[in-house]
Amino acid sequence: MVRIKRWLLAALVMSAGVSGFMLTKGTSHAATTDPQTFISTLKSPVTTVANQYKLYPSVMMAQAALESAWGTSTLTTTANNYFGIKGSYNGASVTMKTAEYDSNGQLYYTNANFRKYPSAKASMTDNAKLLRNGTSYNTSIYSGTWRENAATYADAANALTGTYATAPTYGSSLISIIKQYGLNTLLDASASDSSSSNSNSGSTPKPKPVVYSKATYYGASGTQTARLSGQYATYRLYNHVKGTRANITKTAWSKVAAGKNVLVYLDMRGVKKDASTGKQTTWYRIRFAKNTSAKKYWVYTKALTLPTVKYTSGTAAVKVNNTVSGSYYDHVFNSPYLAKSMGALNKLTAKSYVADKQAIKTQDGYKSTWYRIKVGKQAYWIAATETAAAPQYDAVTYSAASGTKKLSAKYSKYTLYNHVKKTHFNQKTYKWPAGSKKGTKVTVNFKGVKTAYKTTWYRIQFNGSQTNYWVDARALA
């Protein structure tokens, strides 16, 4: 945004022959025969917009008065442009003569387009957005005017000197207008917790700072995906996690290729802790194209259908094929946690690794298995595919069996399992049921032989129970 020069506003007014305009001697601000009408007319849009953007209404009113010559400038009367902002507004503009300097510092006149607003409030809002969002080269250039940073309206007014305007007296001119017409008493009461202010000292009570929620962000690698859920339209697209900073903007779903089950790409997860309730919510940064340079948006987790993952604790020796390309990760790849590559598979050179967790991921109806392996003191996730990693279990040949057997004299030396020992990740052990003793009858319903060790195992049930247990054949007579 480029603003019209401060002195040029006066030139425009005088060249237009506006009656009632004059420059007050000893100050740079303009005056009219009826500034009270100006203040009364703009009180509502100024207070509404300034409070919305956490600015001082008194400073906004003083700026509008100074920049528009109390509303008498040709730019203001023809285009509702109170701050001399160039360009167009929703395609609307007016052409006016303006003075510029060339590269040699020589003054020349040219025609320029200035924004034409439908209302005074639109002009106030446009200027408030400038103060809040700054410029392309410095987004915080006007942060000294924000109520959370400026203890008084005078601090906010002075923060405009050297930033918004180069005139060394710009801030003091605004303060002079505010004091002369008691704008801080009239307007700033609604901007703070207290309605008391001192119009003579130029100070107002410091408003309560805006407290934003905090978010912790987790980056992800590769192309990880999800789909828009059936209730996606209930939520919104944002340029940042909602409630974590000022001036967050929303984008309508109609602006993107949205629809139920539409595939989206994810590259970041955010966990937000609400500033007032402490409640944590999960957000994802998405895009609608695979290309990583595509526009990105933040959405609440319920707007997405994410892959599901079922985790199981256990133990297994996992052998890694480090001759193939691929990575190991801090989480299951494409799980709701998202995953970040922690290294290449070819770096895993040990003969085998111990896994302590197994994950079964379901995405778009397809299931895949992952193992969490220990690499030194760290734990990482690796895909359990034929080309990447496979658990090393004892081979077993199974066959049907029937009949009854009795517990042997040495039965208590052996353990009951849910699977034949060292043949399944989800290996569980059980205590012998109460009343077990030598000679107790059990029903046999399956048999397994470990081919490498030539040991026999039976699956058994105790009288009155439907629970199956696997036990070494030596526990039976």
Side-chain angles (χ1 to χ4, degrees):
M1 294 183 183
V2 179
R3 295 179 306 280
I4 190 170
K5 306 297 182 183
R6 235 51 63 194
W7 57 268
L8 181 57
L9 285 168
L12 286 170
V13 175
M14 288 187 290
S15 66
V18 179
S19 62
F21 172 83
M22 62 179 180
L23 285 177
T24 303
K25 185 177 181 180
T27 69
S28 60
H29 70 270
T32 69
T33 55
D34 191 17
Q36 293 299 341
T37 299
F38 179 91
I39 295 170
S40 177
T41 301
L42 293 185
K43 180 180 178 181
S44 178
V46 165
T47 54
T48 299
V49 173
N51 289 336
Q52 178 185 354
Y53 287 88
K54 304 299 186 293
L55 303 168
Y56 280 95
S58 61
V59 177
M60 181 175 288
M61 182 71 80
Q63 269 200 289
L66 179 62
E67 301 285 350
S68 71
W70 291 99
T72 62
S73 72
T74 304
L75 185 58
T76 301
T77 57
T78 59
N80 279 317
N81 192 329
Y82 286 80
F83 300 93
I85 298 179
K86 287 183 178 179
S88 64
Y89 181 83
N90 293 335
S93 64
V94 293
T95 302
M96 300 187 68
K97 181 178 289 187
T98 180
E100 302 288 351
Y101 286 98
D102 62 21
S103 58
N104 297 318
Q106 297 298 312
L107 179 67
Y108 69 97
Y109 291 89
T110 185
N111 290 328
N113 290 333
F114 291 87
R115 297 189 177 192
K116 183 176 182 179
Y117 298 101
S119 65
K121 185 177 180 180
S123 180
M124 304 301 157
T125 301
D126 209 23
N127 196 57
K129 288 181 178 179
L130 171 65
L131 296 183
R132 268 290 170 181
N133 300 331
T135 63
S136 59
Y137 59 86
N138 187 350
T139 57
S140 61
I141 188 172
Y142 305 122
S143 60
T145 66
W146 304 347
R147 290 207 313 248
E148 63 266 34
N149 296 334
T152 67
Y153 76 76
D155 291 338
N158 285 324
L160 292 167
T161 302
T163 55
Y164 191 95
T166 57
T169 60
Y170 189 71
S172 60
S173 296
L174 296 177
I175 294 170
S176 177
I177 295 174
I178 293 169
K179 287 182 177 181
Q180 183 176 354
Y181 297 99
L183 299 181
N184 60 317
T185 302
L186 179 66
L187 307 175
D188 290 346
S190 61
S192 65
D193 293 334
S194 172
S195 61
S196 62
S197 59
N198 188 339
S199 61
N200 294 321
S201 62
S203 64
T204 61
K206 187 174 182 179
K208 186 177 181 180
V210 178
V211 179
Y212 296 106
S213 299
K214 296 185 181 299
T216 303
Y217 299 94
Y218 303 90
S221 56
T223 302
Q224 300 181 62
T225 60
R227 294 186 181 276
L228 294 183
S229 71
Q231 55 183 330
Y232 78 91
T234 306
Y235 304 97
R236 297 290 182 268
L237 295 167
Y238 299 92
N239 63 333
H240 296 288
V241 175
K242 182 182 178 182
T244 58
R245 63 188 69 191
N247 302 322
I248 290 178
T249 59
K250 293 184 289 188
T251 298
W253 290 102
S254 59
K255 301 293 184 181
V256 297
K260 181 181 178 181
N261 293 327
V262 164
L263 189 71
V264 295
Y265 300 86
L266 299 80
D267 67 358
M268 189 173 290
R269 175 172 62 97
V271 178
K272 182 180 77 170
K273 185 175 182 180
D274 189 89
S276 58
T277 66
K279 180 182 177 181
Q280 290 190 336
T281 53
T282 301
W283 295 69
Y284 293 92
R285 191 170 72 175
I286 69 171
R287 59 185 189 277
F288 290 86
K290 189 174 183 179
N291 191 326
T292 56
S293 63
K295 189 173 180 62
K296 300 174 177 64
Y297 307 90
W298 282 95
V299 295
Y300 180 49
T301 182
K302 288 186 177 181
L304 303 174
T305 298
L306 297 157
T308 59
V309 184
K310 182 179 179 180
Y311 297 91
T312 305
S313 296
T315 185
V318 175
K319 185 177 181 180
V320 178
N321 181 359
N322 57 22
T323 64
V324 298
S325 60
S327 300
Y328 53 94
Y329 300 91
D330 60 343
H331 292 289
V332 174
F333 189 82
N334 224 140
S335 71
Y337 290 107
L338 300 187
K340 188 175 182 179
S341 174
M342 305 306 290
L345 290 176
N346 59 21
K347 300 297 182 181
L348 303 180
T349 57
K351 291 183 178 180
S352 66
Y353 295 89
V354 175
D356 66 350
K357 279 188 178 296
Q358 175 184 272
I360 305 297
K361 181 182 73 175
T362 303
Q363 183 173 15
D364 294 334
Y366 174 77
K367 293 183 181 294
S368 60
T369 303
W370 291 72
Y371 288 99
R372 191 175 75 171
I373 63 173
K374 293 293 184 64
V375 182
K377 295 183 178 181
Q378 301 298 317
Y380 303 110
W381 286 93
I382 188 169
T385 64
E386 292 180 0
T387 58
Q392 305 300 294
Y393 295 127
D394 291 343
V396 181
T397 301
Y398 294 98
S399 61
S402 60
T404 61
K405 290 183 180 293
K406 295 181 180 180
L407 298 186
S408 70
K410 298 181 179 180
Y411 81 91
S412 59
K413 292 177 57 178
Y414 300 93
T415 303
L416 297 173
Y417 297 92
N418 62 334
H419 296 283
V420 175
K421 186 179 180 181
K422 292 186 179 180
T423 62
H424 198 278
F425 186 79
N426 187 21
Q427 189 84 67
K428 295 180 181 179
T429 62
Y430 303 95
K431 293 182 179 180
W432 289 93
S436 297
K437 62 181 179 179
K438 176 185 176 181
T440 298
K441 285 186 178 182
V442 295
T443 301
V444 174
N445 58 28
F446 225 68
K447 179 181 178 180
V449 177
K450 284 192 174 185
T451 55
Y453 306 103
K454 306 300 181 183
T455 56
T456 301
W457 290 68
Y458 287 102
R459 193 173 72 177
I460 64 173
Q461 289 182 351
F462 287 86
N463 185 34
S465 172
Q466 296 298 312
T467 303
N468 290 310
Y469 304 98
W470 281 95
V471 68
D472 191 304
R474 289 170 289 184
L476 307 175

